[in-house]
Amino acid sequence: MSDNFFCEGADKAPQRSLFNALGMTKEEMKRPLVGIVSSYNEIVPGHMNIDKLVEAVKLGVAMGGGTPVVFPAIAVCDGIAMGHKGMKYSLVTRDLIADSTECMALAHHFDALVMVPNCDKNVPGLLMAAARINVPTVFVSGGPMLAGHVKGSKRSLSSMFEAVGAYTAGKMSAEDVEEFENKVCPTCGSCSGMYTANSMNCLTEVLGMGLKGNGTIPAVYSERLKLAKQAGMQVMELYRKNIRPLDIMTKEAFCNALTADMALGCSTNSMLHLPAIANECGISIDLDMANEISARTPNLCHLAPAGHTYMEDLNEAGGVYAVLNELAKKNLINTDCMTCTGKTVGENIKGCVNKDTNTIRPIDDPYSETGGIAVLKGNLAPDRCVVKRSAVAPEMLVHKGPARVFDSEEEAIKVIYAGGINPGDVVVIRYEGPAGGPGMREMLSPTSAIQGAGLGSTVALITDGRFSGATRGAAIGHVSPEAVNGGTIAYVKDGDIISIDIPNYSINLEVPDEELEERRRTMPIKRKEGITGYLKRYAQQVSSADKGAIINK
């Protein structure tokens, strides 16, 4: 009896005739049909090498006894989309990727899948699809970029955006900006710091859906080609053992992911993606869980933009498994969770020692006793907001200042570049949430402009939009409810005092309740005009950020 659904019986002859049209032999038709989801394209630097990895995966699948068949997934480069209308189309692709992959995989009855993603929304979109489809699945990412070198120091894309801010503030020459431009992104791969793409690729490894090194082996290393072949062979082992994504992505696995998130200092975007992926697994992740886990999880890594180490350094230090091994020393992770290796987390990390205590701090000597991300709550964000605490200057962990209010990113960046923001200000950018944007744009340009102008230790930025993983500073995003849904952020006025207390997880608008009620009665909600096509449908269906900006079902 064949392993291929289509191989036996006269009723499947029409399908076999179409496989013949593909040039598929009878021997291939008898083997399990393995879909390889390729996000290769020629516009995203993190994806330009994926064609080579896909060929390696195909070889691994064939070596393991399967028949590999490739189909595509889209991907947006957040860096290229940043700062213009294109960023509205970044987060929204997560659901397009999940939906289209579900359609392709189930329509063609694949027996197993290997996902080959790399960048920001591509990874969580395919994890969401993997949960829906629930056939044996392994992930192998395109891998991180090597760090650039400028004036004797390692640099990355966040340095480039901050260089633009410094130039605009008159603190850097045009020649220096050009040097950054030519050197900060020296190879293919996902940008070299602990930004969203690398955060999600590392967390894929923690969840158990990627093999060792999935998040950290640089894109240009031949070791990544070996990893791709191993992924192809391993998916056949999962097929034979019938180990599926929902066997791996359990509640305990998501708790592990949140714990590793805090230790690694991942992007705040993980607070959108982990709840969305968990939702597809039938698991609810409340953002309060993030604070509970953060309170007991030390922050062990300060990768760029929080510090001066990069993904290549994390890889040399022992990678994600070495971080998990540190956490296991204090029983902070569940070591019994099954993974795509066919072994438990505990079996996987045994002997994976920390080889560089400058990159991964020992569990007894962390950067801080609490995790890299904090979820804040108060009258300005009744349903919470998120900040990358590990990338905030110590003097900005508690801050109080007057609001400078803008109804779009464009309005804010114009004033910041013109030198119109003063030390102590709290910049508020609203109507950029999932529905109000629509698309919940990242605000890397404003935050980088603030850093480049030398205001990073005196100015906070708050938005119902979100931030790139490359952002550093007191940048507080995901304010919920968002402005377009009548959240308090819609009623902030210039000069209002906003108080931020990150250690105590609070954020408040110091305006009397009576005054706020009056503003709710008299200040109209603003809605973007001219929204059409997919963005219009998205805005009508998307949930708030505190729920993961999922499409309501």
Side-chain angles (χ1 to χ4, degrees):
M1 190 73 175
S2 167
D3 284 325
N4 191 316
F5 174 78
F6 298 108
C7 191
E8 302 289 338
D11 60 321
K12 300 298 188 299
Q15 287 91 340
R16 293 195 295 275
S17 71
L18 293 168
F19 286 148
N20 282 325
L22 293 171
M24 197 177 288
T25 65
K26 288 183 179 180
E27 289 78 10
E28 287 174 298
M29 290 185 211
K30 289 180 180 179
R31 296 175 177 176
L33 197 62
V34 181
I36 301 173
V37 187
S38 169
S39 58
Y40 167 76
N41 63 51
E42 295 183 341
I43 188 63
V44 184
H47 292 233
M48 62 181 287
N49 64 320
I50 281 178
D51 57 335
K52 309 296 189 301
L53 295 176
V54 166
E55 290 303 313
V57 172
K58 288 174 68 176
L59 183 57
V61 168
M63 290 166 66
T67 296
V69 179
V70 179
F71 65 89
I74 63 169
V76 165
C77 177
D78 281 23
I80 295 173
M82 196 72 66
H84 61 96
K85 183 180 178 180
M87 181 45 72
K88 294 178 183 290
Y89 287 91
S90 173
L91 179 60
V92 303
T93 64
R94 186 185 71 185
D95 295 276
L96 281 175
I97 291 162
D99 292 348
S100 60
T101 303
E102 174 193 358
C103 291
M104 285 292 289
L106 294 179
H108 300 105
H109 209 289
F110 285 103
D111 298 299
L113 296 167
V114 179
M115 308 290 199
V116 194
N118 208 24
C119 288
D120 300 43
K121 313 310 162 302
N122 195 244
V123 180
L126 290 180
L127 283 165
M128 290 162 68
R132 292 182 196 174
I133 300 159
N134 200 33
V135 298
T137 302
V138 175
F139 276 65
V140 55
S141 78
M145 185 184 291
L146 294 178
H149 292 263
V150 183
K151 300 186 186 302
S153 298
K154 285 185 177 181
R155 300 287 188 174
S156 61
L157 185 64
S158 56
S159 308
M160 181 73 258
F161 276 89
E162 290 180 17
V164 173
Y167 172 75
T168 305
K171 297 184 176 185
M172 184 177 284
S173 69
E175 291 75 20
D176 284 339
V177 172
E178 185 176 11
E179 184 177 2
F180 272 80
E181 179 183 333
N182 290 328
K183 292 182 177 179
V184 296
C185 296
T187 73
C188 63
S190 48
C191 297
S192 55
M194 187 53 82
Y195 310 150
T196 306
N198 292 326
S199 296
M200 293 311 303
N201 282 323
C202 287
L203 295 181
T204 298
E205 205 173 323
V206 179
L207 279 171
M209 294 297 292
L211 302 176
K212 180 184 178 183
N214 176 74
T216 59
I217 297 172
V220 294
Y221 283 13
S222 297
E223 192 67 25
R224 187 153 288 274
L225 291 172
K226 295 181 183 179
L227 185 70
K229 292 174 187 175
Q230 290 166 352
M233 289 186 282
Q234 185 58 31
V235 81
M236 298 310 301
E237 285 299 308
L238 295 185
Y239 172 77
R240 282 186 275 272
K241 294 176 180 178
N242 196 29
I243 298 174
R244 299 169 181 251
L246 295 184
D247 299 322
I248 294 170
M249 291 193 285
T250 61
K251 183 69 172 281
E252 293 75 18
F254 280 100
C255 288
N256 282 350
L258 283 168
T259 301
D261 191 329
M262 300 304 165
L264 287 165
C266 291
S267 164
T268 52
N269 280 315
S270 64
M271 294 297 102
L272 286 174
H273 300 321
L274 287 176
I277 299 161
N279 177 68
E280 298 292 349
C281 298
I283 296 167
S284 176
I285 289 183
D286 190 303
L287 287 184
D288 288 338
M289 287 175 59
N291 278 347
E292 292 167 11
I293 289 173
S294 180
R296 62 175 182 261
T297 306
N299 177 226
L300 304 182
C301 299
H302 267 194
L303 283 86
H308 301 290
T309 52
Y310 295 81
M311 296 305 297
E312 61 203 65
D313 302 311
L314 180 58
N315 187 63
E316 294 303 316
V320 172
Y321 279 18
V323 174
L324 294 179
N325 204 17
E326 288 290 338
L327 294 170
K329 291 176 183 177
K330 290 196 172 180
N331 299 315
L332 292 172
I333 59 167
N334 188 316
T335 55
D336 293 330
C337 292
M338 178 53 60
T339 72
C340 70
T341 66
K343 300 177 182 178
T344 65
V345 170
E347 291 173 310
N348 287 341
I349 66 175
K350 186 177 181 180
C352 294
V353 298
N354 181 0
K355 300 175 183 177
D356 181 0
T357 56
N358 291 319
T359 300
I360 305 172
R361 288 281 187 92
I363 194 73
D364 292 320
D365 183 28
Y367 282 103
S368 66
E369 293 295 336
T370 53
I373 289 176
V375 177
L376 313 184
K377 188 175 183 179
N379 72 342
L380 186 53
D383 292 339
R384 308 171 193 86
C385 56
V386 179
V387 63
K388 188 171 183 176
R389 173 170 44 192
S390 60
V392 178
E395 58 268 36
M396 288 298 292
L397 290 170
V398 178
H399 180 74
K400 181 183 291 188
R404 295 294 306 280
V405 184
F406 304 94
D407 289 339
S408 71
E409 178 186 8
E410 287 83 359
E411 290 179 23
I413 197 71
K414 184 177 180 180
V415 172
I416 296 169
Y417 280 158
I421 300 300
N422 301 312
D425 285 348
V426 178
V427 176
V428 176
I429 304 177
R430 62 192 178 193
Y431 295 105
E432 292 286 4
M440 203 180 184
R441 287 193 289 182
E442 289 183 341
M443 303 288 163
L444 181 55
S445 294
T447 55
S448 297
I450 288 169
Q451 292 290 336
L455 296 171
S457 61
T458 59
V459 170
L461 193 155
I462 298 171
T463 181
D464 54 5
R466 61 196 178 92
F467 296 108
S468 165
T471 291
R472 63 189 177 102
I476 300 168
H478 307 195
V479 170
S480 301
E482 61 176 293
V484 80
N485 289 334
T488 306
I489 193 172
Y491 305 106
V492 182
K493 291 184 176 181
D494 278 340
D496 287 346
I497 300 300
I498 293 174
S499 60
I500 301 162
D501 188 341
I502 295 173
N504 289 306
Y505 308 109
S506 72
I507 182 166
N508 285 289
L509 178 66
E510 297 192 355
V511 170
D513 291 343
E514 301 80 10
E515 171 66 17
L516 266 180
E517 286 305 314
E518 177 64 20
R519 291 183 189 182
R520 287 191 175 97
R521 286 193 296 270
T522 59
M523 290 177 64
I525 296 294
K526 299 179 181 179
R527 300 184 186 277
K528 303 278 174 60
E529 296 180 356
I531 304 299
T532 60
Y534 181 60
L535 287 181
K536 183 177 181 179
R537 298 199 306 275
Y538 183 87
Q540 292 169 342
Q541 297 176 337
V542 69
S543 78
S544 61
D546 65 294
K547 300 292 191 298
I550 61 173
I551 296 298
N552 292 323
K553 295 181 180 178

